[in-house]
């Protein structure tokens, strides 16, 4: 097992036996407000680490407690690229640059297990998590509006309590496999080209649907989240029934009191460009480009706000690139409303 000792703190990958100590550190940082209830359950955390659906890195204090934590987590076992997140540092150990050390060790771990890259949803009530991912080579790819509950409160940092929080997704490229096809609606081609230049990732963009594809039934799944949290529609393959299926699903999801609905569209699918335009007619708009997220290539995550109370003034951006993407996504929200 790789580990790194710095200033009396041991930085190492977590083991299932660390679950209880991880939860204790999480509680010291967030109290009971952390939005993922799994992270408060010892057996759940053990299983996530053991199954490798979560690759955790922890900082052990000189006193032997978990002083900090971060992870690479898969939303679904079939996903190819994990999300970097679950970063927290015990308030008693703030100011010792533990978050930087944890993040660097996490990137080393990602390289050691052969990942193409990872993404992170950075909070926007302060710039620190954005700056940390940017320092690792992270590039902004979207804005997930109202993606985090307003009840999330990290001890010792600025917290905005009058509205839900938005998130800025960033992608850290490690070893991109190269020039995939990406079927994107004509409206987004120019913006997508800007993202490609910014990231240095190579893609061949196609803005017209391939007419010779004639799959009848779409392959998709729904992740029903608890009331008050975003829910997900994951599309594996687009069929001729796509728009009709999505309309039916949205009718059901609107009654479940979710603030946001996400839909993940595989950009490798020849019908993706038309399907993006189709769901935008239902109120969806650009959320995040997720490179290498699908087995066959990239995914575009679109979002539909069911809670329209957006606090634009509270969206803090770490640099001009973030502001450009924020403004684009907000303009897309207005266009599709």
């Amino acid at each position: 097992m790789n580990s790194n000792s710095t200033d009396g703190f041991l930085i190492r990958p977590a083991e299932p036996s660390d679950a209880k100590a991880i939860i204790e550190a999480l509680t010291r940082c967030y109290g009971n407000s952390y939005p993922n209830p799994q992270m408060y359950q010892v057996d759940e955390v053990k299983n996530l680490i053991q199954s490798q659906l979560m690759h955790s890195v922890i900082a052990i204090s000189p006193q032997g407690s978990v002083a900090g934590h971060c992870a690479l987590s898969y939303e679904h076992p079939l996903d190819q690229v994990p999300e970097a997140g679950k970063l927290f540092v015990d308030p008693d150990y703030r100011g010792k640059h533990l978050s930087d050390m944890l993040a660097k060790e996490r990137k080393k771990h990602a390289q050691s297990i052969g990942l193409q890259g990872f993404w992170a949803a950075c909070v926007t009530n302060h710039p620190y998590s954005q700056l940390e991912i940017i320092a690792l080579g992270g590039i902004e790819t979207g804005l997930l509006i109202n993606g985090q509950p307003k009840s999330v409160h990290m001890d010792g940092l600025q917290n905005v309590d009058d509205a839900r929080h938005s998130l800025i997704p960033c992608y850290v490229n490690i070893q991109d496999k190269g020039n995939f096809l990406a079927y994107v609606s004509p409206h987004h081609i120019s913006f997508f080209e800007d993202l490609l230049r910014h990231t240095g990732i190579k893609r061949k963009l196609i803005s017209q649907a391939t007419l010779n594809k004639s799959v009848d039934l779409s392959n998709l799944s729904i992740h029903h989240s608890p009331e008050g949290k975003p829910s997900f529609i994951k599309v594996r393959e687009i069929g001729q029934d796509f728009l009709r299926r999505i309309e039916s699903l949205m009718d059901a999801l609107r009654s479940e009191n979710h603030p946001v609905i996400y839909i993940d569209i595989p950009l490798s699918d020849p019908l993706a460009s038309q399907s993006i335009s189709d769901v935008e007619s239902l109120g969806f708009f650009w959320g995040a480009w997720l490179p290498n997220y699908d087995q066959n290539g990239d995914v575009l995550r679109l979002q539909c706000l069911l809670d329209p109370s957006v606090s634009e003034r509270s969206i803090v951006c770490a640099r001009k690139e973030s502001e450009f993407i924020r403004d684009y996504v907000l303009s897309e929200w207005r266009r599709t409303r």
Side-chain angles (χ1 to χ4, degrees):
M1 178 177 62
N2 296 326
S3 63
N4 178 33
S5 183
T6 307
D7 295 332
F9 291 88
L10 177 66
I11 313 294
R12 64 167 175 82
E15 300 176 349
S17 59
D18 296 312
K20 185 173 184 293
I22 290 171
I23 294 169
E24 290 171 350
L26 173 73
T27 304
R28 289 193 293 273
C29 186
Y30 280 98
N32 295 319
S33 74
Y34 195 72
N36 185 344
Q38 275 187 308
M39 289 299 294
Y40 288 103
Q41 305 297 321
V42 173
D43 288 341
E44 292 280 358
V45 174
K46 282 183 179 179
N47 290 338
L48 288 170
I49 296 173
Q50 196 158 25
S51 66
Q52 298 188 339
L53 287 176
M54 182 172 76
H55 296 264
S56 288
V57 175
I58 55 177
I60 304 297
S61 73
Q63 291 73 35
S65 65
V66 170
H69 172 276
C70 67
L72 296 167
S73 304
Y74 291 93
E75 292 179 352
H76 188 279
L78 293 178
D79 293 340
Q80 301 299 297
V81 172
E83 178 184 358
K86 300 182 174 68
L87 171 64
F88 49 86
V89 173
D90 187 318
D92 289 342
Y93 297 105
R94 298 257 171 86
K96 299 181 182 296
H97 305 289
L98 287 183
S99 61
D100 294 337
M101 290 187 280
L102 286 163
K104 289 176 182 176
E105 193 66 25
R106 178 176 58 193
K107 185 174 182 180
K108 288 180 185 177
H109 183 68
Q111 292 168 327
S112 72
I113 61 177
L115 293 182
Q116 296 179 71
F118 56 86
W119 74 286
C122 302
V123 298
T124 59
N125 57 314
H126 59 74
Y128 309 122
S129 63
Q130 297 171 52
L131 291 170
E132 172 197 300
I133 292 295
I134 290 167
L136 295 175
I139 302 296
E140 304 88 334
T141 67
L143 174 70
L144 298 175
I145 301 175
N146 288 358
Q148 189 177 61
K150 62 184 179 181
S151 59
V152 176
H153 187 286
M154 181 179 285
D155 187 62
L157 292 178
Q158 177 184 354
N159 294 276
V160 180
D161 293 325
D162 60 347
R164 295 181 63 86
H165 308 162
S166 296
L167 302 165
I168 292 181
C170 296
Y171 184 72
V172 178
N173 182 31
I174 295 176
Q175 48 179 359
D176 189 78
K177 289 183 177 178
N179 211 12
F180 292 128
L181 297 180
Y183 294 86
V184 184
S185 62
H187 178 77
H188 294 299
I189 288 290
S190 177
F191 178 66
F192 210 130
E193 288 173 341
D194 286 338
L195 291 181
L196 291 174
R197 282 191 291 270
H198 192 36
T199 61
I201 291 175
K202 305 296 182 183
R203 294 291 184 267
K204 183 178 179 180
L205 302 184
I206 300 175
S207 60
Q208 293 183 340
T210 299
L211 299 178
N212 61 2
K213 187 185 179 199
S214 58
V215 175
D216 291 330
L217 301 179
S218 300
N219 180 2
L220 52 84
S221 60
I222 310 172
H223 175 68
H224 288 277
S225 299
E227 183 177 308
K229 295 184 179 180
S231 277
F232 293 81
I233 302 171
K234 289 187 176 290
V235 181
R236 298 296 176 186
E237 186 173 22
I238 301 167
Q240 300 301 322
D241 66 340
F242 177 73
L243 183 57
R244 185 172 67 254
R245 290 276 303 279
I246 299 302
E247 287 175 326
S248 176
L249 289 173
M250 287 300 293
D251 286 342
L253 289 170
R254 286 179 192 278
S255 66
E256 295 180 6
N257 197 28
H258 300 291
V260 186
I261 307 297
Y262 297 135
I263 182 168
D264 287 359
I265 294 183
L267 296 181
S268 60
D269 193 302
L271 296 182
S273 57
Q274 180 59 50
S275 298
I276 291 167
S277 298
D278 286 343
V279 297
E280 286 178 339
S281 72
L282 302 178
F284 283 90
F285 59 98
W286 187 288
W289 168 44
L290 302 176
N292 303 305
Y293 196 72
D294 181 73
Q295 290 174 311
N296 298 311
D298 302 344
V299 159
L300 179 60
R301 176 166 293 175
L302 295 108
Q303 56 191 329
C304 179
L305 298 188
L306 303 186
D307 177 358
S309 55
V310 177
S311 178
E312 296 184 30
R313 64 178 176 78
S314 70
I315 302 175
V316 177
C317 295
R319 56 180 181 173
K320 290 183 178 179
E321 291 86 349
S322 309
E323 293 174 354
F324 170 74
I325 291 174
R326 175 200 62 195
D327 294 345
Y328 181 81
V329 174
L330 288 172
S331 70
E332 286 298 291
W333 171 51
R334 297 185 187 101
R335 179 179 70 88
T336 57
R337 289 174 72 177

